[in-house]
Amino acid sequence: MSALRAAALAVLTAVVVGVTATYAVDVPFWWAVLVSIPPAAAVLVTAMFVGTFDQDWTPEPDLPAASVCLHASSLADRLGQAATDPYRFTSRVQPRLRRLALTTLRRDPETADIEDLHDPRARERLGDDLHGLLTASGARLPKPDEFAAMLRRLEEP
């Protein structure tokens, strides 16, 4: 409810309580004004917060997408989808693997100055199969055992 409508409702309540106190109970005018202030304040506060407690029937928002959060529980499903959909692999998985590989290479003192994966030292350090997986535009996700071996090799110091 808007502040103007809430104030109008509070004033109306104060007037009704004041008139009732003055004429029905025969209270002096100033006492009627004092008696009408607490109910008017209660109505004002209630009217200001009444919208806060309304039912919200809008649908719940969608779950976060892969770009927002990546949970280990859903990683196998996403890799399974990427294995069957080449576009999903090249657009989602491959860029993340590239960033991971570059970060790993830059932590190694021998390859800390590598700017991208097309450097010959990157090919030597990663191996031909992993390097091809990360840099080829038409690369496809290998079988799970081969992929796990590649990632273990990437994690080696």
Side-chain angles (χ1 to χ4, degrees), residues 92-147:
R92 293 184 179 177
V93 177
Q94 196 178 36
R96 289 184 178 122
L97 289 175
R98 276 192 214 122
R99 284 193 302 268
L100 177 66
L102 275 173
T103 303
T104 302
L105 290 173
R106 288 177 181 158
R107 288 182 185 159
D108 187 6
E110 296 175 8
T111 56
D113 60 336
I114 288 181
E115 293 299 319
D116 68 1
L117 294 176
H118 295 292
D119 192 305
R121 293 177 294 162
R123 178 182 288 275
E124 178 184 324
R125 168 70 171 77
L126 297 173
D128 288 335
D129 54 349
L130 181 56
H131 186 267
L133 178 71
L134 298 175
T135 58
S137 60
R140 294 188 61 111
L141 193 63
K143 294 180 181 176
D145 297 342
E146 296 171 12
F147 186 61

Side-chain angles (χ1 to χ4, degrees), residues 31-73:
W31 279 103
V33 170
L34 287 174
V35 167
S36 65
I37 290 175
V43 167
L44 178 67
V45 169
T46 303
M48 291 297 292
F49 292 108
V50 75
T52 306
F53 302 110
D54 284 346
Q55 289 288 335
D56 184 16
W57 295 106
T58 58
E60 290 186 23
D62 293 335
L63 294 175
S67 62
V68 176
C69 66
L70 182 61
H71 297 284
S73 62

